[in-house]
Amino acid sequence: MNNTVHQLKRVRWKEILPGYLLLVLIPVLILFINTETMAQLPYGFVAKKLTANNLRECVAMAHAPDGRIFLAERGGNVKVYHNGTLSTVHSVATTTESEQGLLGITLHSNFAQNGKCYIYYTNPERTRHYLDVIVISAGNQVTSSTRLNEFDPILGGFHNGGAMVFKDSHLYLCVGESSTPNTAQQLTTYMGKVLRFDENGQPAVGNPYYETGVNRQQKSIWAIGMRNPWAMTMEPVSKRLFVANVGGDWEEIDEVTSPDPSKNYNYGWDSRFQTGPDQNPNTIYPFFAYNRQRLEGWNSQSCAITTVAAFNPSVTNYPNQYRNKLYFSDWCT
């Protein structure tokens, strides 16, 4: 599947889906990303094609302060769009079977000075996920690559997660439950969790179980009860964190800024397969959820929330109705 980079005039944030890399403008609506959608732009917006069809299964991206855009292809390539040119800066050996591959990318909040870029991917043997940090120079050369973490053995293969955000001095990383729902509630595994690390991949001081955790996995936990947390965004003013969590009957956007300790930091997914408003009332309900089975004309077994982006820049020429919004897209079949 080839991807193309498009830019919409006035746009300052970008969103990736299989099939296209583009900027989505419709607030809190489910979008079908195809040629027809690209033609139906809001008044005053113009689409501009930035690259040829030379991206393949681009699943995540990260924006550098200097305007560079780093893109993760599921097959293992880290590419950069810079000064009108797309090039490969780094590659890892991986696999694209069972929803696996290079699944996450984010930049250190001090990237302009240290060049640190974090990537999350599956090993070629389909047995583990890795977290690496690479250092990228201003000239797009990788000067070092370091393995920071090796995660629990993969179980079911699907639901691998991969959402990442670097907020202040912490790396937030989401890991799926590997098609094994009961792992999402277990405190001794990374699976089905939002994790929080320091910049060197160590469990972050202040995590809920940092002082009492029996192993590295428990010490790293920020939140539990996730199914397949696939995308994450940070609202730039308040720094609130939101996760697009691929659900069961309900697709979810979960706010994970400060998980409620009275609910055991628990977002509800477990072996009862309940999501959205159907989940246990003693768990943290989604910030927003929608039921695909109630959407007329949709094949409810073939759709999943795949992107979320908070748009609230300090300076923009977008009309006011587009500001302070969460945007998301749902990918079908």
Side-chain angles (χ1 to χ4, degrees):
M1 180 182 296
N2 290 324
N3 292 22
T4 305
V5 177
H6 288 79
Q7 184 185 55
L8 297 184
K9 187 178 180 182
R10 294 174 162 175
V11 140
R12 291 183 180 270
W13 66 274
K14 297 177 176 62
E15 183 170 27
I16 291 184
L17 285 178
Y20 285 97
L21 164 61
L22 73 162
L23 308 181
V24 184
L25 291 175
I26 310 302
V28 195
L29 289 179
I30 300 163
L31 303 179
F32 293 91
I33 304 306
N34 53 30
T35 305
E36 182 179 359
T37 301
M38 287 296 296
Q40 297 173 351
L41 300 176
Y43 175 79
F45 289 87
V46 178
K48 178 182 178 182
K49 188 173 181 178
L50 299 182
T51 70
N53 297 329
N54 48 8
L55 287 170
R56 185 169 181 82
E57 290 195 298
C58 189
V59 297
M61 68 191 310
H63 292 258
D66 59 11
R68 287 180 288 172
I69 306 171
F70 294 94
L71 308 116
E73 290 184 329
R74 194 161 70 99
N77 292 323
V78 176
K79 293 187 174 180
V80 61
Y81 179 76
H82 187 207
N83 292 333
T85 301
L86 185 71
S87 58
T88 300
V89 297
H90 186 68
S91 296
V92 295
T94 187
T95 175
T96 56
E97 295 188 33
S98 304
E99 298 180 350
Q100 299 176 49
L102 174 55
L103 303 175
I105 187 170
T106 195
L107 304 179
H108 194 288
S109 53
N110 199 26
F111 176 82
Q113 282 69 46
N114 60 31
K116 290 184 177 181
C117 173
Y118 297 82
I119 54 176
Y120 170 83
Y121 62 98
T122 318
N123 66 6
E125 298 78 21
R126 294 182 293 159
T127 58
R128 299 269 185 173
H129 293 114
Y130 296 147
L131 173 66
D132 291 357
V133 59
I134 58 177
V135 176
I136 305 174
S137 71
N140 295 321
Q141 299 298 311
V142 173
T143 59
S144 68
S145 176
T146 305
R147 175 71 41 75
L148 297 183
N149 211 342
E150 181 178 296
F151 296 91
D152 300 313
I154 294 170
L155 299 175
F158 295 89
H159 301 175
N160 301 290
M164 287 198 291
V165 163
F166 206 98
K167 175 184 175 181
D168 301 326
S169 59
H170 296 116
L171 173 67
Y172 293 79
L173 167 63
C174 300
V175 178
E177 38 83 301
S178 199
S179 303
T180 311
N182 63 306
T183 64
Q185 296 295 317
Q186 295 171 358
L187 298 181
T188 55
T189 175
Y190 295 116
M191 294 179 182
K193 310 296 190 301
V194 180
L195 308 171
R196 191 175 74 143
F197 300 107
D198 67 18
E199 65 176 326
N200 299 313
Q202 297 299 313
V205 176
N207 284 350
Y209 304 103
Y210 183 83
E211 299 293 341
T212 60
V214 299
N215 58 14
R216 179 184 172 93
Q217 286 90 329
Q218 189 171 5
K219 290 177 179 292
S220 302
I221 290 173
W222 182 247
I224 70 173
M226 292 281 164
R227 185 176 183 265
N228 188 14
W230 176 250
M232 181 185 285
T233 186
M234 181 174 67
E235 199 281 319
V237 177
S238 66
K239 296 191 175 182
R240 295 165 69 187
L241 296 174
F242 299 91
V243 171
N245 187 17
V246 180
D249 289 339
W250 294 82
E251 300 297 295
E252 297 183 356
I253 297 175
D254 297 312
E255 182 177 355
V256 299
T257 313
S258 183
D260 188 348
S262 71
K263 301 294 181 67
N264 296 317
Y265 317 98
N266 184 3
Y267 285 82
W269 181 248
D270 58 22
S271 56
R272 291 172 295 180
F273 310 109
Q274 295 172 324
T275 52
D278 297 332
Q279 68 193 48
N280 189 315
N282 293 321
T283 60
I284 304 170
Y285 278 29
F287 179 82
F288 178 76
Y290 59 97
N291 188 316
R292 291 177 281 106
Q293 294 180 355
R294 300 179 185 176
L295 297 174
E296 183 177 357
W298 283 40
N299 177 353
S300 64
Q301 300 304 311
S302 303
C303 300
I305 188 169
T306 51
T307 54
V308 63
F311 181 68
N312 195 21
S314 56
V315 177
T316 180
N317 59 357
Y318 267 32
N320 286 335
Q321 65 264 34
Y322 295 106
R323 302 186 64 173
N324 196 25
K325 297 287 197 304
L326 276 178
Y327 297 77
F328 69 92
S329 295
D330 194 298
W331 177 256
C332 289
T333 316

